[in-house]
Amino acid sequence: MTHPDASRQFRKIGMATIIMMASIFLSRVTGVAREMVLAALAGAGTAVDAYRVAFVLPEILNHILASGFLSVTFIPIFSRYLTDGREEDGWRTFSNVLTVFGTILALLIVAAMFLAPTVVPLLAAGRQDPEFISLAVRMTRITLPAQFFFFTGGMLMAVQYTKNRFLFPALAPLIYNLSIIAGGWLLSRHVGVAGFGWGALAGAAIGSFAIQLAGALRTGMKFRPTVDLGNPDLKRYVLLTLPLMIGLTMVFSTELFSKFFGSFLPTGAIAWIDYAMRVMLILVGFFGQAVGVASYPYMARLAAQGHLQELNETINKVLRYLSIVIPISILVVVLRFEIVRVLFERGRFTPEDTEMTALILACLMAGAIAFVTQTVVNRGFYATQNTLLPTIFGTIGVVLSLPIYWFGLTMLGIAGVGLAISTSALLQTVLLFSV
């Protein structure tokens, strides 16, 4: 029989999930609108390929600092303080982590801007034409500073999630997407595709930082610049985060490998892969991300209280719910041409672009369930402050998938890269379930 507290927790998760699903649905809608505007104004040529590659070096910095994992690594630490009635100590730890790692990130951003002309050509080794490299370097330098806003915003969101405040974090992706649309629409006539990059920078500054600062202040945030390298909680944060910094996650490896292997394909291939990815990620965001984000604070609290049985029950219920993704994925495969045509085929996006994007979409949907479930399975580990095991098994899956990417590229071309992405995701998820 399910414990009454577990039932209440699951109902709370349900309400939070509804809020997050509504938010993420709107953010995915605006994300698709963002892609539609990009497709109409720029199509899928050299400039769009360069724009996609411009986000790889910033993504590497994001990975090095584990900025995308701030919620899952800091929430358990902050939750423990709240559970023990030591909120003031929690804010001191918050200040220490933000000051130390924010400073490191700022220095890395400056270094990356100087090194961009050397690093960017390595990230898309199959494309060495000067126009492509020049565009990719210029847009990389535009988007790099956004990582500072993502990092600080991630910390500010983490404390809001811990206090069960979801509204302000829910606004971040909406503002980000709308800013990219505005930047592309208003600036593309003057600076080309780089206008979308300027929009991304503005969206990060407003949605991920300014709005989140206001939200965190409403929770009672107390910040004072602090550098205490001997603080035990800073060390605990580093130990939790280090595996995520050096390991290869599903999302990071997909972004990196899709650009690298896509660069060996004809012009436009990187863009085709990314357009298809954005359609597939609608499912991931609407189901996996929404449920994972909403359930994680409750998972962390159950783990902090030592209620591991209730934690397992929560994870199992969530995973059963996510099985709905399988029939939806099949439907998307059946309707792939119609979906891509309706979403993108206008302006400079040609029928050929539709055909190639639809082909990739069919290949990606084979792994959609893996992308969805891993958002919850990983958080089950993170809630118990175990970041090592999922990182080890995820990295093993990524390494094992490298020959699959190369084989797919050489034997099946662009479809092979799409199938390799799905195979890699499925492999990593199976390994995680086996732990």
Side-chain angles (χ1 to χ4, degrees):
M1 183 175 179
T2 303
H3 193 279
D5 287 341
S7 297
R8 284 195 293 271
Q9 291 282 22
F10 193 70
R11 284 196 296 271
K12 290 179 180 179
I13 292 172
M15 291 301 297
T17 298
I18 291 172
I19 295 172
M20 292 308 298
M21 285 182 73
S23 165
I24 291 174
F25 174 74
L26 291 175
S27 71
R28 294 298 173 180
V29 168
T30 56
V32 170
R34 176 194 72 199
E35 299 301 307
M36 291 169 66
V37 173
L38 176 62
L41 294 178
T46 297
V48 178
D49 283 351
Y51 171 72
R52 302 298 194 186
V53 170
F55 286 88
V56 178
L57 183 54
E59 183 65 28
I60 291 174
L61 287 192
N62 183 293
H63 184 76
I64 291 174
L65 268 294
S67 298
F69 292 98
L70 286 171
S71 293
V72 296
T73 53
F74 189 71
I75 281 177
I77 295 174
F78 199 69
S79 292
R80 180 170 53 83
Y81 282 113
L82 296 184
T83 301
D84 295 343
R86 299 166 53 206
E87 185 170 337
E88 290 296 323
D89 292 335
W91 289 122
R92 279 191 286 272
T93 297
F94 167 83
S95 298
N96 197 23
V97 171
L98 185 54
T99 302
V100 171
F101 283 89
T103 301
I104 293 172
L105 178 58
L107 294 174
L108 288 174
I109 288 172
V110 173
M113 294 184 78
F114 280 107
L115 294 173
T118 301
V119 177
V120 170
L122 300 176
L123 300 175
R127 296 281 299 277
Q128 296 300 311
D129 55 284
E131 180 188 5
F132 173 84
I133 296 300
S134 176
L135 285 170
V137 169
R138 180 158 63 94
M139 287 187 280
T140 294
R141 286 172 166 165
I142 292 171
T143 56
L144 273 169
Q147 299 310 308
F148 183 80
F149 298 121
F150 288 136
F151 173 81
T152 54
M155 290 290 294
L156 297 170
M157 290 182 203
V159 297
Q160 293 177 78
Y161 287 141
T162 306
K163 293 202 169 189
N164 300 326
R165 304 288 183 88
F166 294 93
L167 178 59
F168 282 69
L171 296 175
L174 288 170
I175 294 173
Y176 181 67
N177 286 329
L178 290 174
S179 295
I180 294 176
I181 292 171
W185 189 266
L186 297 174
L187 300 178
S188 61
R189 299 175 187 174
H190 308 287
V191 297
V193 178
F196 291 90
W198 285 112
L201 178 59
I206 299 169
S208 293
F209 177 70
I211 297 295
Q212 304 316 315
L213 178 60
L217 289 171
R218 288 166 64 93
T219 69
M221 183 194 78
K222 297 178 182 179
F223 171 77
R224 177 178 295 177
T226 305
V227 177
D228 183 4
L229 301 181
N231 184 280
D233 285 303
L234 180 65
K235 295 179 180 179
R236 184 177 295 109
Y237 174 81
V238 171
L239 289 175
L240 282 173
T241 310
L242 187 60
L244 301 172
M245 293 177 179
I246 62 178
L248 295 173
T249 63
M250 183 185 299
V251 174
F252 175 68
S253 64
T254 299
E255 290 291 331
L256 183 63
F257 294 160
S258 66
K259 308 303 186 298
F260 179 81
F261 288 99
S263 71
F264 291 92
L265 294 164
T267 299
I270 295 174
W272 295 328
I273 294 170
D274 251 46
Y275 283 127
M277 281 288 295
R278 301 314 147 193
V279 176
M280 188 268 285
L281 290 176
I282 295 174
L283 281 183
V284 177
F286 187 64
F287 292 98
Q289 185 181 351
V291 175
V293 170
S295 62
Y296 185 68
Y298 302 102
M299 292 183 188
R301 189 171 296 114
L302 289 172
Q305 295 169 350
H307 299 161
L308 298 184
Q309 180 61 37
E310 295 175 28
L311 174 61
N312 288 330
E313 291 176 1
T314 298
I315 294 173
N316 289 333
K317 286 182 179 179
V318 170
L319 291 178
R320 284 196 295 270
Y321 161 77
L322 291 178
S323 64
I324 193 175
V325 170
I326 296 175
I328 296 176
S329 298
I330 296 172
L331 181 62
V332 172
V333 172
V334 173
L335 300 175
R336 62 190 183 278
F337 288 105
E338 290 78 7
I339 291 172
V340 174
R341 189 172 295 116
V342 169
L343 291 178
F344 302 127
E345 195 177 306
R346 61 184 57 83
R348 300 185 65 180
F349 197 91
T350 67
E352 179 190 1
D353 295 329
T354 294
E355 182 178 351
M356 300 306 296
T357 302
L359 173 61
I360 293 294
L361 179 59
C363 298
L364 293 178
M365 293 314 298
I369 185 64
F371 279 95
V372 171
T373 56
Q374 64 89 26
T375 62
V376 175
V377 175
N378 280 342
R379 282 177 169 84
F381 287 99
Y382 301 152
T384 61
Q385 300 191 34
N386 183 350
T387 57
L388 183 60
L389 279 180
T391 301
I392 289 175
F393 281 85
T395 301
I396 291 172
V398 171
V399 173
L400 291 176
S401 69
L402 277 171
I404 299 173
Y405 272 96
W406 189 253
F407 179 81
L409 172 66
T410 55
M411 298 300 295
L412 299 173
I414 193 167
V417 174
L419 289 172
I421 292 171
S422 290
T423 303
S424 177
L426 290 166
L427 178 59
Q428 292 175 65
T429 302
V430 169
L431 287 173
L432 282 174
F433 271 113
S434 69
V435 180

